[in-house]
Amino acid sequence: MLSIPSSIRIFVCVVPVDMRRSFDSLAELVRSQMGEEPLSGHLYLFRNKGDTKLKILWWEDGGYALFYKRLEKGRFSLPANVGAGLEINATSLSMLLHGLDEKAIKKQARFQVGAPV
């Protein structure tokens, strides 16, 4: 299980990426395609064309870390909120990595401060 502090943001590159790319070329994609700074300490998620592989790039303690997950069967289902923007939350990332389809899950209504009752 991943434990991601709330200060870390998670950005998704919606364009499929060649999974042969490594640290520096993924960092360049973060700058050029996503308009973000890879040295910020945030997580950057990349997927392949078939949605069977994911890579996460993270700058931590003076160096890049790269996490890679390849599915033997099935596909990753990107969270529904990716279409609205390039950022997801830690819950969506966890669901994605565990094979849950967020689009098929119905979220219960909850109270939110400032929202109409």
Side-chain angles (χ1 to χ4, degrees):
M1 168 159 304
L2 289 173
S3 178
I4 300 172
S6 60
S7 61
I8 293 181
R9 296 168 67 190
I10 304 162
F11 297 95
V12 178
C13 181
V14 294
V15 178
V17 172
D18 182 350
M19 287 292 123
R20 294 175 290 182
R21 289 180 177 255
S22 192
F23 301 96
D24 295 327
S25 62
L26 289 174
E28 184 53 37
L29 276 179
V30 170
R31 283 187 192 97
S32 64
Q33 299 262 331
M34 301 169 77
E36 297 291 331
E37 176 52 52
L39 303 178
S40 65
H42 299 307
L43 299 179
Y44 299 95
L45 179 72
F46 302 91
R47 65 182 177 91
N48 70 331
K49 190 174 183 177
D51 289 330
T52 58
K53 299 173 187 174
L54 289 178
K55 278 189 177 181
I56 300 173
L57 181 68
W58 176 42
W59 177 265
E60 186 260 338
D61 289 338
Y64 283 116
L66 193 61
F67 301 93
Y68 189 12
K69 184 164 184 175
R70 180 189 75 189
L71 296 179
E72 295 300 322
K73 184 177 180 182
R75 293 177 174 209
F76 290 107
S77 179
L78 287 177
N81 58 349
V82 167
L86 300 175
E87 189 172 353
I88 62 173
N89 59 32
T91 303
S92 294
L93 176 61
S94 181
M95 290 173 66
L96 175 67
L97 293 175
H98 285 92
L100 300 173
D101 185 356
E102 190 176 332
K103 298 169 194 162
I105 296 173
K106 182 181 177 190
K107 185 175 179 182
Q108 299 296 320
R110 297 284 187 247
F111 175 79
Q112 293 180 357
V113 177
V117 179

